[in-house]
Amino acid sequence: MLDSLSYHNFSWQGDVRWYKASKFTRYAPMVVAVITVLSVAEIAFGSVWVANLGDTISVPKIIQTLLVPGCSFFNAIPSLHLHLLVRVNPPTLALCFSSIFCFCYLLSTFLMLGSCGASESGVPGVLRRSECYRGIKGGPQRHGVDKGVWITFQVCNLLSAIAYAYHAGLAYYVLRGIKQRKAAGVVEVEDPELIAARRAKAPMRIYSSMEHRPAAEKPQVNLLRGWPNPSLLPVAQIKAASAAALSQPDVSTPGLLYGPDPGYEPLRKGISDWLSRFYRLPYPSNPNRICITGGASQNLACLLQVFSDPLYTRFIWQVSPTYFRVCPIFEDNAFHGRLRSVPEDDEGIDVDFLRLRLKEADDDDSSTKGTLKGSQPWRKVYRHIIYAVPTFSNPSSRTMSLKRRRQLVQVARQHDALIITDDVYDQLQWPAQQPSTSSSLKHAVLPRVVDVDRELDGGTDRPGVDGFGNAVSNGSFSKIAAPGVRCGWAEGTEKIAHALSQCGGSASGGAPSQMTSTFMTHLLQTGELEKHIFNTLQPAYARRYHSMMEAIKRHLLPLGVTLPQSDRDVVGGYFLWFALPRPLLAEDIARVAKEEENLVIGQGSLFAVYGDERTDDLERQIRVCFSWEEEDRLAQGIERLASVIRRMLDGEISRPNRDALRDRAIAHDYS
């Protein structure tokens, strides 16, 4: 009996290992389908031939006309099942059987064609004219098939041989790729959809168009997790970089020892040179503006330790919706109850709102003027901290306009604020429209806020200022290499970089990520990191983005869902953000999607600033991520979401009791 796996998991993509091996191997299921059709045709023509053999019938003729095509058919059907339904087709078996059938078909075709070219008596024991079509000289006169049937049969035989040879070549390519990845230390991760399907094996059940399968019978689709898909990790490149670094004593020795406070010097220079090219900066590369960090989140904590004070610093201002992981970092630095949200529109942060609130805070005479931390000659404590993700924001996917970036810097200068920007998605960009001449963009479209601060109205060295500036860029290799490298950088003025390097938590143990820094230096110096970004990440994420966007346009927009900044020329990042039609609430949609569709999404309230009372505008918002799930499941997830929204709009699902569900957490799957 066929189980749920056999029907619910059908996909022309087939085995993910075949699909991802190359642009040719993904057509393997179609090749097998062609072989199946050819086998049926050969059996039909072979039957006609055998029926017309009369007294000249023999075992060899039956083998050539019926047995070989019949065996081919019964080989192709299981192969189709493995490709399209089970979606795990062992390339070793495919190579073996395809090679055997290719040989059989070539031999059969050679014998039949050779018989018609032999002498009238044929070659005794091998080729005989009786194997030809009716009417040929020396061949069958009364019995046998017409010439047209005979030729068609031989053409099908030859096409089958070619198809099997092609399939064998594809199997060999896939098998070689698996061996190469194994040698490189890559762990093959089986499709989680198949794992879930096998665990839930059950007798097949047919559901009507109005009936919905229980969530337990559906493989989970997680559109909340903001991780890179394992297939996009540069395992081979990092392995080569680590081997190169550890094999050179002049690199490995300093890499394994405590490093200088600002970080590994070659990496600082490599990052400075690379960012100067990417952002097309009009200044000479300056490594003294760079401080190596243990990643963006770790560095945010260090920035707060150095540049804020629980007594003197009034508030933390965050663009809302915000990246939810930063709120605990702010609270750990004694800012509980002093996190403030700033709304954004299609140009980014609402600068007028921020300016008004900053003025109100500065005019409050009850604020403390002293500091809790001891003074240091290299440190500056700011009156306010502003946090934002200006480019391809997490979660809203918006990009702050150049005008707003300039206005933000001006406001920060007026109110003694330090702008901390997470610029971790800047390199993950591609054209918004398809088709495009390229899915890779090698230069940033907009300058960072730290670059605006460097040049606006005389820059950070203008007369009458202290030289610290009002912006710092938080960078990371997590999104462009791998999260596990735990290595990043901060860029600001030389004073900002030096002060950050003196943070007690990092300076006491030497430079953060010292050993990893040697690996990343190798990737930058050899150009492998840029190749990975431009040739692998940008095209892959562009495909994923467009796949999800097409599904949203097809299934969600007709239901009244709306997207921000829909007219952009360049898009990027990991996420898409959209608003539900009224009166739907994201919390209800997320709950039903999890319970009935086994779909995990990010409801807007997850991204609220801690303690913020302005959450009404997030109640109808949803974030989905296209970086983690397998590419073919992105559209499937959007279709499931559309099903929930449609049923809730149609009244098939009633809205829940808000008080009864308030404490039910659905966020345990997110990251």
Side-chain angles (χ1 to χ4, degrees), residues 523-536:
L523 294 179
L524 280 171
Q525 290 177 342
T526 59
E528 288 299 319
L529 180 63
E530 290 182 84
K531 287 180 184 177
H532 180 63
I533 294 171
F534 299 138
N535 300 340
T536 299

Side-chain angles (χ1 to χ4, degrees), residues 218-344:
K218 301 177 183 180
Q220 185 180 90
V221 176
N222 192 329
L223 300 184
L224 180 55
R225 175 168 288 169
W227 294 8
N229 186 277
S231 65
L232 299 176
L233 300 176
V235 177
Q237 294 92 324
I238 292 178
K239 181 179 180 181
S242 62
L246 292 172
S247 63
Q248 303 174 56
D250 60 332
V251 175
S252 62
T253 299
L256 292 169
L257 293 173
Y258 295 110
D261 293 342
Y264 188 56
E265 175 61 27
L267 180 58
R268 294 168 60 211
K269 183 179 185 308
I271 291 174
S272 180
D273 293 344
W274 166 51
L275 296 181
S276 294
R277 293 193 303 272
F278 180 73
Y279 292 104
R280 292 183 282 197
L281 301 179
Y283 316 102
S285 173
N286 184 1
N288 291 328
R289 290 176 54 87
I290 303 290
C291 181
I292 303 304
T293 72
S297 295
Q298 182 261 6
N299 185 54
L300 177 58
C302 291
L303 288 167
L304 293 171
Q305 292 170 36
V306 176
F307 299 111
S308 72
D309 183 275
L311 292 183
Y312 182 79
T313 304
R314 294 290 288 129
F315 296 108
I316 306 292
W317 304 89
Q318 298 174 244
V319 177
S320 178
T322 192
Y323 172 46
F324 55 85
R325 294 289 191 193
V326 301
C327 292
I329 300 175
F330 293 131
E331 292 201 332
D332 286 347
N333 282 270
F335 288 102
H336 175 74
R338 289 190 285 159
L339 309 186
R340 298 292 183 266
S341 69
V342 183
E344 63 177 349

Side-chain angles (χ1 to χ4, degrees), residues 208-213 218 551-552 554-557 559 561 580 584 588-589 592-594 596-599 601 635-653:
S208 69
S209 60
M210 294 299 293
E211 188 179 6
H212 297 275
R213 291 160 46 200
K218 301 177 183 180
I552 288 174
R554 186 180 305 115
H555 301 290
L556 295 185
L557 295 190
L559 298 176
V561 167
L580 296 168
L584 301 185
D588 299 339
I589 296 295
V592 175
K594 183 68 169 65
E596 298 195 9
E597 297 290 344
N598 207 3
L599 170 69
I601 57 175
Q636 183 185 137
I638 296 301
E639 290 175 16
R640 294 188 194 181
L641 179 58
S643 173
V644 172
I645 294 173
R646 185 181 300 107
R647 284 183 284 144
M648 194 164 280
L649 285 173
D650 292 344
E652 295 180 32
I653 305 174

Side-chain angles (χ1 to χ4, degrees), residues 61-87:
K61 293 175 184 176
I62 293 177
I63 291 175
Q64 287 178 271
T65 56
L66 290 179
L67 188 59
V68 172
C71 289
S72 174
F73 176 78
F74 286 107
N75 171 70
I77 292 299
S79 183
L80 272 180
H81 181 264
L82 291 174
H83 269 300
L84 302 179
L85 299 177
V86 179
R87 291 171 64 184

Side-chain angles (χ1 to χ4, degrees), residues 320-574:
S320 178
T322 192
Y323 172 46
F324 55 85
R325 294 289 191 193
V326 301
C327 292
I329 300 175
F330 293 131
E331 292 201 332
D332 286 347
N333 282 270
F335 288 102
H336 175 74
R338 289 190 285 159
L339 309 186
R340 298 292 183 266
S341 69
V342 183
E344 63 177 349
D345 55 26
D346 272 357
E347 277 200 81
I349 187 171
D350 187 338
V351 176
D352 292 335
F353 177 95
L354 176 62
R355 182 185 291 110
L356 178 61
R357 295 298 183 267
L358 284 170
K359 185 178 184 305
E360 290 175 354
D362 289 344
D363 290 343
D364 184 0
D365 292 335
S366 64
S367 61
T368 303
K369 302 299 182 181
T371 61
L372 186 64
K373 299 177 181 178
S375 62
Q376 296 289 346
W378 41 261
R379 169 185 286 151
K380 175 179 178 178
V381 176
Y382 288 83
R383 191 68 170 160
H384 300 276
I385 300 292
I386 302 171
Y387 173 81
V389 186
T391 304
F392 315 131
S393 176
N394 176 10
S396 74
S397 74
R398 290 182 173 93
T399 294
M400 192 184 300
S401 69
L402 178 58
K403 175 184 175 182
R404 290 288 172 86
R405 296 178 191 222
R406 289 172 174 165
Q407 291 174 338
L408 180 59
V409 169
Q410 290 170 338
V411 169
R413 290 176 177 178
Q414 293 167 4
H415 295 276
D416 188 24
L418 176 64
I419 307 166
I420 302 175
T421 60
D422 271 352
D423 297 319
V424 297
Y425 301 102
D426 289 27
Q427 288 80 20
L428 303 181
Q429 56 177 356
W430 49 86
Q433 302 300 323
Q434 286 185 303
S436 174
T437 56
S438 173
S439 59
S440 177
L441 298 175
K442 297 187 177 181
H443 297 288
V445 177
L446 291 170
R448 295 166 296 175
V449 174
V450 73
D451 299 324
V452 173
D453 187 37
R454 189 178 183 182
E455 60 84 24
L456 183 66
D457 298 332
T460 55
D461 294 325
R462 65 193 185 280
V465 297
D466 54 25
F468 277 89
N470 293 86
V472 59
S473 172
N474 213 359
S476 174
F477 290 109
S478 293
K479 303 299 185 293
I480 54 179
V485 300
R486 308 317 301 151
C487 186
W489 68 91
E491 180 174 355
T493 63
E494 291 187 20
K495 287 188 174 183
I496 284 277
H498 173 69
L500 182 60
S501 74
Q502 301 307 300
C503 176
S506 58
S508 121
S513 307
Q514 177 72 355
M515 188 70 248
T516 306
S517 293
T518 64
F519 306 162
M520 305 316 297
T521 301
H522 180 85
L523 294 179
L524 280 171
Q525 290 177 342
T526 59
E528 288 299 319
L529 180 63
E530 290 182 84
K531 287 180 184 177
H532 180 63
I533 294 171
F534 299 138
N535 300 340
T536 299
L537 295 185
Q538 287 188 357
Y541 287 133
R543 288 195 308 271
R544 290 166 166 271
Y545 167 86
H546 288 300
S547 174
M548 181 174 277
M549 276 299 298
E550 286 301 315
I552 288 174
K553 292 176 182 177
R554 186 180 305 115
H555 301 290
L556 295 185
L557 295 190
L559 298 176
V561 167
T562 57
L563 291 159
Q565 294 187 331
S566 56
D567 58 347
R568 283 182 292 178
D569 295 326
V570 176
V571 293
Y574 273 10

Side-chain angles (χ1 to χ4, degrees), residues 177-200:
I178 292 174
K179 290 181 178 179
Q180 288 175 344
R181 290 194 296 275
K182 185 177 181 180
V186 179
V187 178
E188 295 289 340
V189 180
E190 188 174 5
D191 191 337
E193 181 176 342
L194 300 177
I195 297 173
R198 291 194 186 93
R199 289 176 178 170

Side-chain angles (χ1 to χ4, degrees), residues 20-295:
K20 291 183 177 181
S22 76
K23 64 181 179 181
F24 300 106
T25 55
R26 65 182 57 181
Y27 297 115
M30 298 180 187
V31 175
V32 178
V34 170
I35 291 174
T36 305
V37 173
L38 288 173
S39 300
V40 173
E42 291 158 5
I43 292 172
F45 287 115
S47 299
V48 173
W49 190 349
V50 170
N52 284 276
L53 285 175
D55 56 4
T56 64
I57 192 171
S58 64
V59 173
K61 293 175 184 176
I62 293 177
I63 291 175
Q64 287 178 271
T65 56
L66 290 179
L67 188 59
V68 172
C71 289
S72 174
F73 176 78
F74 286 107
N75 171 70
I77 292 299
S79 183
L80 272 180
H81 181 264
L82 291 174
H83 269 300
L84 302 179
L85 299 177
V86 179
R87 291 171 64 184
V88 177
N89 192 7
T92 305
L93 288 178
L95 175 61
C96 177
F97 282 105
S98 295
S99 300
I100 291 173
F101 277 102
C102 176
F103 173 77
C104 291
Y105 270 114
L106 285 176
L107 180 62
S108 175
T109 304
F110 171 76
L111 292 175
M112 291 184 180
L113 292 177
S115 68
C116 296
S119 62
E120 293 184 15
S121 59
V123 179
V126 182
L127 305 176
R128 298 189 180 279
R129 302 287 271 184
S130 61
E131 296 185 11
C132 271
Y133 48 83
R134 184 172 60 243
I136 189 172
K137 186 176 181 180
Q141 302 301 316
R142 188 164 56 90
H143 299 289
V145 295
D146 292 334
K147 183 177 181 180
V149 174
W150 190 89
I151 291 175
T152 303
F153 186 82
Q154 305 312 316
V155 170
C156 289
N157 266 3
L158 188 58
L159 290 176
S160 293
I162 294 172
Y164 270 118
Y166 185 63
H167 193 254
L170 298 181
Y172 173 77
Y173 190 89
V174 173
L175 187 62
R176 187 183 68 172
I178 292 174
K179 290 181 178 179
Q180 288 175 344
R181 290 194 296 275
K182 185 177 181 180
V186 179
V187 178
E188 295 289 340
V189 180
E190 188 174 5
D191 191 337
E193 181 176 342
L194 300 177
I195 297 173
R198 291 194 186 93
R199 289 176 178 170
K201 277 190 175 182
M204 181 185 68
R205 177 180 175 185
I206 305 301
Y207 294 91
S208 69
S209 60
M210 294 299 293
E211 188 179 6
H212 297 275
R213 291 160 46 200
E217 296 185 17
K218 301 177 183 180
Q220 185 180 90
V221 176
N222 192 329
L223 300 184
L224 180 55
R225 175 168 288 169
W227 294 8
N229 186 277
S231 65
L232 299 176
L233 300 176
V235 177
Q237 294 92 324
I238 292 178
K239 181 179 180 181
S242 62
L246 292 172
S247 63
Q248 303 174 56
D250 60 332
V251 175
S252 62
T253 299
L256 292 169
L257 293 173
Y258 295 110
D261 293 342
Y264 188 56
E265 175 61 27
L267 180 58
R268 294 168 60 211
K269 183 179 185 308
I271 291 174
S272 180
D273 293 344
W274 166 51
L275 296 181
S276 294
R277 293 193 303 272
F278 180 73
Y279 292 104
R280 292 183 282 197
L281 301 179
Y283 316 102
S285 173
N286 184 1
N288 291 328
R289 290 176 54 87
I290 303 290
C291 181
I292 303 304
T293 72

